[in-house]
C-alpha cells in the first residue's frame, strides 16, 4: 500500500477501496489455500492438520500473552492509579499537600498532558520494535515515577509526578491493543480484548479493597501517611510484574522466540486470513501515519473514542460520587467493587456475542443507551438504592462500549501495522484531551448530584451512538463498492472476498 504515489490515493470511499485493492494485488490471492501456499512449512498440511496446528498456536499464545498483558494492565496506573489517586484524596492526600481544588484538578489534568505527548511516537516506535522489551521498560519507568509520589510535599510535586507517570504510561494502552489485533483474528479479537480489558474493571475492584485495607489501617506506620504506603506498595508490585514480562511477552508473529518455525508461520497465516491477505508488516512508519491521517475511519473513531472517554469521565471521581450516598469511609471503599464486577461479566458476554456474530455497531449502541439511563437516574434522585442501580448501569455500559470500540477499529483497519498503530494512537491521543476539561465538571460544589458531570456523560453517550451509525454507514458504502468491483451478488454462487465489518 505504501508504494503507491500519494496522488493516486483519492479521498473518501474510493480511496479506502483502492487501498484494500492495492494490498490484495501486492499480496496475491486471498483464498485460504492461496494464503497457505505462501508459507513453506504449511503448504503440505491438510485441513485437519491445519486445524490442529491452529488450535495449538492459539492455545500457546493465549497462555503466554493474555495473562501477562492482563496483569500488566491491571497494575497499570493509567487505570489503577487514577482511581487510587481519587481514593488517596479521600484519605487526605489533597489536605496533607495543602492543595486547593484548582491545584488538584491541575494535577489530574497534567497527567494527560504527559500522556498526550508520549502517545503517538510511543506507539509508532512499538510498531517497529520488539514488544517483549519495549512494554516492560515502559512499565518499569512508570513504576519508578509512582514510587516517587510519597516524596511529594506540595501541589507542584504532585503535578510533576503525574506528568511523568502519564508520559511513561502513554504507549502501553494503544500498544497492547495493537499487539492483540496482530495476534488474533477478527472473530477472536473482541473476546481477547475483553479479557485484558478486564484489568481495567478488576483494578477498580481491587482498588476499593486496597483502599479499605491500606488507607484505613496503615496511617502513621513508619511515620508515613496511609496514602504514601498506597503508592509505595502499588509501585513495587508493578516493578515485579515488569521484570516478569521481559520473559513472558511475545514479540510479533514473525519473530517470537518461543514459537517453532511452523508455529510462527501458522500465527502469520491466521492474521493474514483474517485480514483478507493483507500483510500488516508492509509499509514504513511515516507511510502508515500518512495513510491513517487520510483515512476517514481514523477521525470517526477519534470522535467515538473521545465521546466514550467523556461518557467515562466519572471514573476519576467515582469514590467521591459514592461518598454522596451517605456511606462511611470504609463502606465507600468497598461498594466500588460490585459495579465493576458486573461490568466485567457483561463485557465478556457482549464481546463473545460481537465476535460470534461479526457485529459491532449495535453491540456498542445498546450498552451506551443503558449508561445514559443509569446516569439519568444518578443525577435525578437521592434514593440510595436507585442511585446505586444507576451507577451499575453507568459503569457496565461505558466499559462495554469502550472495549468493543477498540476491537472494531482494529478489525476495520487490519493492515499495515504502521497504519493501525497510528490510528490507535491518534484515536487514543485525541480521546485523552477530554481529561483536560472533564475534571472541572465534577467540583465538590456539585454534590450530591454532580449534574454538570452527568450532562457531560450523557453528551458523550449521544455522540457515541451517532458516530457508531456513521462508521456503519461508511463501512456499508465501501462494501457496496467492493461488491460492484468483484461483480458479487448474494445468490450468484461466487465466493465473497474480504469486507469491512460493522
Amino acid at each position: 500500500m505504501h508504494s503507491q504515489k500519494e496522488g493516486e490515493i483519492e479521498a473518501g470511499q474510493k480511496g479506502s477501496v483502492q487501498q484494500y485493492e492495492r494490498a490484495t494485488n501486492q499480496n496475491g490471492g486471498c483464498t485460504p489455500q492461496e494464503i497457505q501456499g505462501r508459507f513453506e512449512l504449511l503448504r503440505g498440511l491438510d485441513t485437519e492438520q491445519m486445524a490442529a496446528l491452529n488450535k495449538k498456536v492459539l492455545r500457546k499464545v493465549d497462555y503466554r500473552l493474555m495473562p501477562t498483558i492482563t496483569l500488566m494492565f491491571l497494575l497499570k496506573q493509567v487505570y489503577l492509579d487514577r482511581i487510587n489517586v481519587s481514593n488517596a484524596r479521600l484519605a487526605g492526600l489533597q489536605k496533607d499537600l495543602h492543595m486547593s481544588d484548582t491545584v488538584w484538578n491541575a494535577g489530574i489534568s497534567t497527567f494527560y498532558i504527559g500522556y498526550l505527548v508520549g502517545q503517538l511516537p510511543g506507539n509508532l516506535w512499538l510498531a517497529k520494535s520488539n514488544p517483549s522489551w519495549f512494554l516492560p521498560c515502559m512499565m518499569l519507568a512508570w513504576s519508578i515515577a509512582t514510587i516517587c509520589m510519597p516524596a511529594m510535599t506540595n501541589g507542584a510535586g504532585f503535578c510533576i509526578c503525574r506528568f511523568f507517570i502519564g508520559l511513561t504510561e502513554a504507549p502501553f494502552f494503544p500498544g497492547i491493543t495493537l499487539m492483540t489485533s496482530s495476534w488474533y483474528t477478527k472473530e477472536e479479537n473482541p473476546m481477547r480484548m475483553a479479557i485484558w480489558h478486564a484489568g481495567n474493571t478488576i483494578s477498580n475492584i481491587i482498588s476499593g479493597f486496597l483502599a479499605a485495607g491500606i488507607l484505613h489501617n496503615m496511617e502513621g506506620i513508619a511515620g508515613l501517611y496511609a496514602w504514601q504506603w498506597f503508592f509505595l506498595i502499588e509501585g513495587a508490585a508493578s516493578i515485579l510484574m515488569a521484570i516478569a514480562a521481559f520473559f513472558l511477552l511475545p514479540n510479533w508473529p514473525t519473530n517470537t522466540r518461543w514459537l517453532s518455525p511452523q508455529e510462527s508461520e501458522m500465527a502469520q497465516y491466521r492474521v493474514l486470513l483474517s485480514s483478507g491477505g493483507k500483510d500488516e508488516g508492509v509499509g514504513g512508519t511515516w507511510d502508515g501515519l500518512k495513510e491513517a491521517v487520510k483515512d476517514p475511519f481514523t477521525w470517526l473513531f477519534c470522535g467515538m473514542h473521545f465521546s466514550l472517554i467523556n461518557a467515562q469521565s466519572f471514573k476519576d471521581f467515582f469514590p467521591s460520587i459514592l461518598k454522596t450516598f451517605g456511606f462511611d469511609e470504609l463502606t465507600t471503599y468497598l461498594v466500588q467493587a460490585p459495579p465493576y464486577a458486573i461490568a466485567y461479566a457483561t463485557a465478556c458476554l457482549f464481546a463473545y456475542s460481537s465476535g460470534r456474530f461479526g457485529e459491532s455497531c449495535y453491540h456498542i449502541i445498546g450498552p451506551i443507551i443503558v449508561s445514559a439511563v443509569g446516569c439519568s437516574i444518578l443525577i435525578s434522585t437521592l434514593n440510595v438504592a436507585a442511585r446505586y442501580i444507576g451507577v451499575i448501569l453507568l459503569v457496565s455500559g461505558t466499559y462495554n462500549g469502550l472495549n468493543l470500540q477498540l476491537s472494531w477499529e482494529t478489525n476495520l483497519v487490519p493492515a499495515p501495522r504502521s497504519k493501525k498503530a497510528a490510528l490507535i494512537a491518534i484515536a487514543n491521543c485525541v480521546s485523552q484531551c477530554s481529561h483536560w476539561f472533564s475534571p472541572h465538571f465534577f467540583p465538590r460544589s456539585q454534590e450530591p448530584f454532580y449534574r454538570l458531570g452527568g450532562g457531560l456523560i450523557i453528551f458523550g453517550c449521544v455522540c457515541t451512538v451517532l458516530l457508531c451509525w456513521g462508521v456503519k454507514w461508511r463501512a456499508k458504502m465501501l462494501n457496496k463498492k467492493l461488491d460492484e468491483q468483484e461483480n458479487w451478488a448474494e445468490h450468484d454462487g461466487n465466493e465473497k472476498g474480504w469486507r469491512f465489518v460493522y
Side-chain angles (χ1 to χ4, degrees), residues 40-323:
E40 182 180 354
L41 300 179
L42 302 183
R43 289 172 192 159
L45 301 184
D46 59 28
T47 303
E48 289 185 2
Q49 291 173 319
M50 287 289 288
L53 182 58
N54 176 61
K55 186 176 181 180
K56 179 182 178 182
V57 170
L58 181 59
R59 183 170 59 247
K60 203 167 185 179
V61 174
D62 276 344
Y63 288 165
R64 294 289 291 263
L65 176 61
M66 297 312 300
T68 306
I69 61 175
T70 300
L71 286 172
M72 291 176 78
F73 193 56
L74 172 65
L75 293 171
K76 178 179 172 295
Q77 283 84 351
V78 75
Y79 282 99
L80 184 58
D81 180 59
R82 289 174 191 172
I83 198 72
N84 276 354
V85 166
S86 191
N87 281 322
R89 184 188 196 187
L90 293 180
L93 170 60
Q94 181 178 354
K95 177 173 64 70
D96 293 336
L97 298 186
H98 311 292
M99 289 186 286
S100 65
D101 281 354
T102 301
V103 174
W104 175 266
N105 288 334
I108 296 295
S109 298
T110 301
F111 171 94
Y112 298 103
I113 296 175
Y115 196 75
L116 185 64
V117 170
Q119 189 85 186
L120 183 58
N123 214 37
L124 291 175
W125 186 8
L126 171 64
K128 294 299 181 182
S129 65
N130 289 329
S132 63
W133 66 263
F134 182 85
L135 293 177
C137 283
M138 293 298 99
M139 192 172 194
L140 280 176
W142 83 59
S143 301
I144 292 169
T146 300
I147 286 180
C148 291
M149 288 188 72
M152 300 181 304
T153 58
N154 53 40
F158 178 67
C159 291
I160 292 171
C161 282
R162 296 291 293 168
F163 173 82
F164 282 105
I165 291 174
L167 181 68
T168 51
E169 287 180 356
F172 188 82
F173 179 77
I176 58 175
T177 303
L178 178 64
M179 278 193 72
T180 307
S181 67
S182 295
W183 279 98
Y184 293 103
T185 67
K186 59 186 178 183
E187 293 80 18
E188 299 160 352
N189 210 16
M191 189 62 185
R192 267 56 179 196
M193 287 195 180
I195 291 172
W196 63 250
H197 209 240
N200 193 346
T201 53
I202 295 171
S203 70
N204 288 282
I205 297 171
I206 293 176
S207 181
F209 290 119
L210 282 175
I214 300 173
L215 297 180
H216 203 69
N217 297 303
M218 296 190 70
E219 181 71 26
I221 295 179
L224 298 176
Y225 293 116
W227 59 263
Q228 291 175 308
W229 280 112
F230 207 26
F231 293 120
L232 284 172
I233 293 170
E234 179 184 325
S238 295
I239 287 175
L240 292 176
M241 187 64 232
I243 294 172
F246 278 110
F247 303 97
L248 295 172
L249 276 181
N251 289 312
W252 306 111
T254 56
N255 64 342
T256 292
R257 59 185 178 275
W258 40 262
L259 289 179
S260 69
Q262 189 181 50
E263 290 169 343
S264 177
E265 288 194 357
M266 171 53 75
Q268 297 170 61
Y269 165 82
R270 285 164 32 82
V271 178
L272 272 174
L273 185 63
S274 179
S275 63
K278 291 184 283 185
D279 184 0
E280 71 164 16
V282 302
T285 299
W286 295 112
D287 296 309
L289 177 58
K290 289 175 184 176
E291 287 186 11
V293 169
K294 289 185 290 186
D295 192 335
F297 276 131
T298 298
W299 304 108
L300 286 168
F301 280 114
C302 279
M304 192 186 303
H305 202 160
F306 178 78
S307 300
L308 283 163
I309 296 300
N310 280 329
Q312 284 192 339
S313 57
F314 63 87
K315 288 189 307 183
D316 292 336
F317 302 91
F318 195 57
S320 299
I321 292 171
L322 290 177
K323 187 178 180 182

Side-chain angles (χ1 to χ4, degrees), residues 349-423:
L349 288 173
F350 272 82
Y352 173 80
S353 175
S354 177
R356 173 71 176 78
F357 296 103
E359 201 283 332
S360 296
C361 179
Y362 291 110
H363 279 77
I364 296 174
I365 288 177
I368 288 301
I369 291 174
V370 169
S371 288
V373 171
C375 182
S376 299
I377 296 172
L378 183 63
I379 65 176
S380 60
T381 180
L382 287 175
N383 182 280
V384 174
R387 298 188 84 199
Y388 196 66
I389 291 172
V391 163
I392 292 172
L393 297 178
L394 173 61
V395 172
S396 297
T398 54
Y399 276 89
N400 272 278
L402 183 58
N403 172 60
L404 292 175
Q405 180 263 324
L406 293 171
S407 63
W408 195 11
E409 70 185 16
T410 54
N411 284 340
L412 267 178
V413 186
R417 185 188 299 146
S418 55
K419 177 183 178 181
K420 184 165 57 175
L423 185 154

